[in-house]
Amino acid sequence: MRKIAWLAIALLFVPGLFPSAASAQEPWVVDDGGEVTSISAGSDGSRLAVGSRSAKALVYDLSGKLIFETKANNVVNAVELLDNGDLLAASDDRKLYAYDAQGEPLWTADLKRQVKSMSASTDGSVIAAVVQRNNDLLFIDGRTGEPRGAVPIGTTMKNVKVSGSGSWVLVGSTDQYAHLLDGEGNIVAKFGAKGQIQAIDVTDDGISAIGTKLGEVELFDAGGKAAHAAKTRDYPTDVAFSADGRTIAAADLSGYFYIFDGNGKKLWETKAGNAGRAVAFDPQGKTLYAGTDDGRMLAFDVGSVIAASKSDARMKTIVWGSAALLGLALAAFLLGWLRRRNKLGIFKEIWRSKWIYAGLAPSFVLIFAFLYFPAFSGLFHSLYQWQPGGRTTFIGLDNFKRMLHDPFVTKGIGNLVILIVTGLIKTLIPPLIVAELIYHLRSKKLQYGFRTAFTASMVIPSVAGLLIWQNFYDPNLGLFNNFLRLIGLGSWAHGWLGDPNTALWALIFIGFPFVGILQLLVFYAGLLSISEEMVESAKIDGATLPRIIRSIHLPLLAGQFKFLIILGLIGIIQDFNGILIVTGGGPMDSTYVPALQMYYAATKFSELGYASALGVSMFAVILIITIVNLKFIKTEDQ
């Protein structure tokens, strides 16, 4: 059974053992490096059309060799390659151009206003255009370029997309609404996006993808109902479906290119420029063409990424199916084992106590959800490049190797060693001294009074205490510098938290005289549990107070020492709150600790896999120290 359990655990990691990556072909530069505005891949997969801000439409073969180029009088903002090789190009010069497969002009349509967007079906039967200051969507005759009709949208439009078969037309407007039309120009659905619409595309099944300024690609079904959303690092500048509609590509303003599956899960991303401008799949969906703001065209072989996503989906089905079968097998085995030993009566006992178990269930569920699950998730994801909601890529021990070369971590380890040594001294010695002083007071009322006086400080919020100490260290108005000036030692006044040489020690001395209330109460309770007869016997034998403390109190307080050392080490290694509030890890990196780097990796840089690895490393260190502590510090029961 143990082997089966380990096999099941290993299966959970199988999907990540074979990471996939997209290989990039050598990029080529469009024309004179002008910004790429649009891309269209031919249905036969042999040609690629590119629109450029340098007022040109260019057609290339797949190796990047120029086949022909055409010139407009302004920015070419949209291009479409048709099945027969014809090229359509829309320009800000108010014209729509058509060329044959050799680049010879077929017709030119003057639409009287700037063409803001144009799209066509692959056979050219449906051509739609959006022009400036016109609330009607124009349809163009693909044979003559003459207007074939118009559909009133009733608002200012930004872009239009026609599905490959021409059965759907999607229009994005400036009021954050999208309009879905059928091939006859009838509005089928009107639906709103969460943010301003920047890019759109639609499949032959009527599935819509809308990129918004909120940094999302929203997916809608054919009825206009929101289905999924995919996150991007910046707002999308273009989105494109693969021919089968199962994969979505996106480019964003920060130069990242992405591939998502139909559920919005990120499969792949890469950064390839200052700003991404256009994306398009080849007909097989195995190559992604991407254009940048500096005129570069890139071709990414993403077939392995898409194949890996399908393999992952199959593997997950297999894993979950295997886990379900294993669970059933274990349940059957357990029932058989109980039956053979005539212990099935335990279920009757459980049923009799069902309300007790029902009352305990919420506690177990919450403990698992908020304690155990995050811990195991961190352990699992420490081996991955992890972005929640996106692709989780297995990278093995790379996160841990990165820690060895991270200057903030190595610097933080040195600081942490100093904090551990000084922290244990602060945790153990001052509270023990105060506990002994209170314990040896002859008056019980005085003991109670001093104990109460010390514990009253627990009501002060820790953040308030940190801010008070921060003001004490202020170089201009702080208590310490003003006191030094008052006694004639103004030359010693210092920017304690602003100097890398003193910042760490200034943090260490926060909380002076270091009488921790929990530690004080633990030691005091331990002293009260010591038998008075033993102490009296020692006094009769002539033992002095120092000897009693050394030979009776300290050995009998070993359990308290063990508890406080473990608790102190866990707190010191994990804690970064004080450093974050007072110095933020500065000046420079003088007060950095690994826990602070973990926090910054997770919150500032969204590197949750690396943050998980840092957390796992700290857990391992705490575990080792705890085991050593339990091994070498003996209590009276051991």
Side-chain angles (χ1 to χ4, degrees):
M1 291 302 297
R2 184 176 297 178
K3 291 182 179 179
I4 295 175
W6 279 110
L7 179 61
I9 294 172
L11 283 173
L12 296 177
F13 288 87
V14 168
L17 292 178
F18 305 98
S20 57
S23 58
Q25 301 174 14
E26 190 68 25
W28 71 86
V29 178
V30 174
D31 192 35
D32 55 357
E35 178 181 308
V36 174
T37 59
S38 56
I39 304 172
S40 177
S43 59
D44 62 355
S46 64
R47 291 187 172 196
L48 192 73
V50 179
S52 170
R53 189 165 288 276
S54 58
K56 290 183 180 180
L58 309 102
V59 177
Y60 296 90
D61 64 17
L62 299 189
S63 66
K65 181 180 178 181
L66 182 66
I67 298 176
F68 69 85
E69 67 176 47
T70 65
K71 182 72 175 175
N73 296 315
N74 208 328
V75 175
V76 174
N77 52 41
V79 291
E80 290 282 3
L81 272 178
L82 306 183
D83 289 340
N84 59 6
D86 289 355
L87 170 68
L88 300 178
S91 172
D92 279 352
D93 64 4
R94 306 181 179 185
K95 292 184 175 62
L96 188 61
Y97 300 90
Y99 302 90
D100 65 15
Q102 287 73 43
E104 297 297 325
L106 295 175
W107 49 259
T108 299
D110 188 352
L111 300 183
K112 308 301 181 182
R113 296 177 181 178
Q114 285 186 354
V115 183
K116 297 171 65 176
S117 180
M118 180 273 301
S119 184
S121 60
T122 55
D123 61 2
S125 61
V126 179
I127 303 174
V130 172
V131 297
Q132 191 178 35
R133 295 191 301 275
N134 190 342
N135 295 342
D136 293 343
L137 178 66
L138 304 181
F139 286 89
I140 309 298
D141 189 323
R143 293 169 298 177
T144 64
E146 296 295 325
R148 200 180 67 183
V151 176
I153 300 299
T155 186
T156 305
M157 296 168 286
K158 293 188 66 172
N159 36 34
V160 62
K161 277 289 184 177
V162 178
S163 66
S165 64
S167 53
W168 299 96
V169 180
L170 182 66
V171 179
S173 57
T174 56
D175 59 2
Q176 296 184 197
Y177 277 93
H179 301 74
L180 186 62
L181 294 76
D182 61 21
E184 302 299 323
N186 302 307
I187 297 178
V188 176
K190 177 183 177 181
F191 45 93
K194 296 177 183 177
Q196 292 184 5
I197 296 175
Q198 299 297 310
I200 60 173
D201 199 9
V202 63
T203 71
D204 288 335
D205 296 323
I207 307 299
S208 303
I210 299 178
T212 71
K213 273 200 171 181
L214 296 180
E216 283 186 338
V217 178
E218 300 178 44
L219 301 175
F220 298 85
D221 63 19
K225 182 180 178 182
H228 304 284
K231 287 284 187 181
T232 55
R233 294 175 180 265
D234 206 335
Y235 74 74
T237 53
D238 193 22
V239 294
F241 279 104
S242 59
D244 59 10
R246 297 179 180 178
T247 318
I248 307 106
D252 75 12
L253 194 62
S254 293
Y256 285 89
F257 298 97
Y258 310 85
I259 293 179
F260 305 98
D261 66 12
N263 295 321
K265 179 183 177 183
K266 186 186 298 180
L267 305 179
W268 169 85
E269 75 170 48
T270 189
K271 182 174 174 61
N274 295 325
R277 290 301 180 187
V279 286
F281 281 104
D282 73 336
Q284 290 74 37
K286 295 183 178 180
T287 302
L288 176 67
Y289 298 102
T292 67
D293 62 340
D294 55 3
R296 286 184 302 138
M297 281 295 304
L298 304 105
F300 297 99
D301 181 4
V302 295
S304 59
V305 173
I306 297 171
S309 70
K310 297 177 181 177
S311 175
D312 283 353
R314 289 193 297 268
M315 185 59 68
K316 285 180 181 178
T317 302
I318 293 171
V319 169
W320 286 111
S322 302
L325 291 175
L326 179 61
L328 291 173
L330 288 173
F333 173 81
L334 179 61
L335 288 173
W337 182 82
L338 291 172
R339 184 177 181 181
R340 287 194 298 272
R341 287 162 176 75
N342 296 319
K343 293 184 177 182
L344 289 176
I346 190 172
F347 293 105
K348 295 181 180 179
E349 296 294 330
I350 292 174
W351 180 252
R352 291 193 191 102
S353 305
K354 56 183 178 296
W355 298 116
I356 297 175
Y357 286 106
L360 290 172
S363 298
F364 281 111
V365 170
L366 292 173
I367 288 171
F368 175 81
F370 294 103
L371 290 178
Y372 292 111
F373 178 76
F376 285 110
S377 174
L379 177 63
F380 176 83
H381 287 105
S382 66
L383 303 175
Y384 287 76
Q385 184 179 355
W386 179 33
Q387 290 181 342
R391 181 166 176 78
T392 301
T393 306
F394 180 81
I395 58 174
L397 299 177
D398 285 358
N399 283 325
F400 296 92
K401 293 177 183 177
R402 176 182 170 183
M403 287 163 43
L404 300 177
H405 306 286
D406 189 336
F408 292 106
V409 173
T410 52
K411 176 68 175 180
I413 291 174
N415 291 337
L416 185 60
V417 171
I418 296 173
L419 290 172
I420 287 174
V421 174
T422 57
L424 289 179
I425 293 173
K426 294 190 298 181
T427 296
L428 301 177
I429 296 178
L432 177 62
I433 293 173
V434 174
E436 288 282 359
L437 291 174
I438 295 176
Y439 176 75
H440 285 95
L441 288 172
R442 295 184 179 181
S443 171
K444 296 297 182 182
K445 290 184 178 180
L446 282 176
Q447 287 187 15
Y448 178 80
F450 277 103
R451 189 170 70 244
T452 303
F454 275 105
T455 55
S457 64
M458 294 178 69
V459 302
I460 301 175
S462 58
V463 173
L466 289 170
L467 295 177
I468 290 171
W469 274 89
Q470 191 177 38
N471 286 330
F472 284 171
Y473 286 126
D474 188 279
N476 300 313
L477 304 174
L479 175 66
F480 296 145
N481 283 345
N482 282 324
F483 177 73
L484 290 172
R485 296 186 186 100
L486 182 65
I487 63 176
L489 297 175
S491 60
W492 289 16
H494 198 69
W496 304 99
L497 295 174
D499 185 347
N501 297 319
T502 60
L504 183 62
W505 292 101
L507 284 172
I508 289 170
F509 273 91
I510 286 179
F512 182 83
F514 315 125
V515 182
I517 307 307
L518 173 64
Q519 294 84 353
L520 170 62
L521 294 177
V522 169
F523 280 130
Y524 184 70
L527 291 171
L528 290 177
S529 67
I530 297 174
S531 171
E532 292 185 5
E533 288 79 3
M534 185 184 299
V535 176
E536 291 299 327
S537 298
K539 289 180 179 179
I540 292 172
D541 291 338
T544 61
L545 181 58
R547 180 61 186 271
I548 291 173
I549 293 173
R550 185 175 73 251
S551 301
I552 297 177
H553 287 183
L554 293 181
L556 294 180
L557 290 174
Q560 282 76 10
F561 276 106
K562 178 183 290 188
F563 170 71
L564 292 176
I565 288 173
I566 294 174
L567 211 62
L569 285 171
I570 293 173
I572 295 167
I573 293 174
Q574 291 184 344
D575 183 53
F576 61 88
N577 298 330
I579 296 173
L580 178 66
I581 292 170
V582 178
T583 66
M588 298 169 63
D589 56 1
S590 59
T591 58
Y592 240 84
V593 290
L596 185 63
Q597 178 66 345
M598 176 187 69
Y599 171 78
Y600 283 147
T603 59
K604 280 192 173 183
F605 307 112
S606 298
E607 297 177 332
L608 275 79
Y610 184 49
S612 297
L614 287 165
V616 169
S617 300
M618 290 190 291
F619 162 75
V621 171
I622 291 171
L623 180 64
I624 292 170
I625 294 175
T626 301
I627 293 172
V628 171
N629 181 42
L630 294 172
K631 180 75 174 176
F632 290 101
I633 298 182
K634 303 295 184 181
T635 66
E636 60 181 346
D637 299 327
Q638 294 178 308

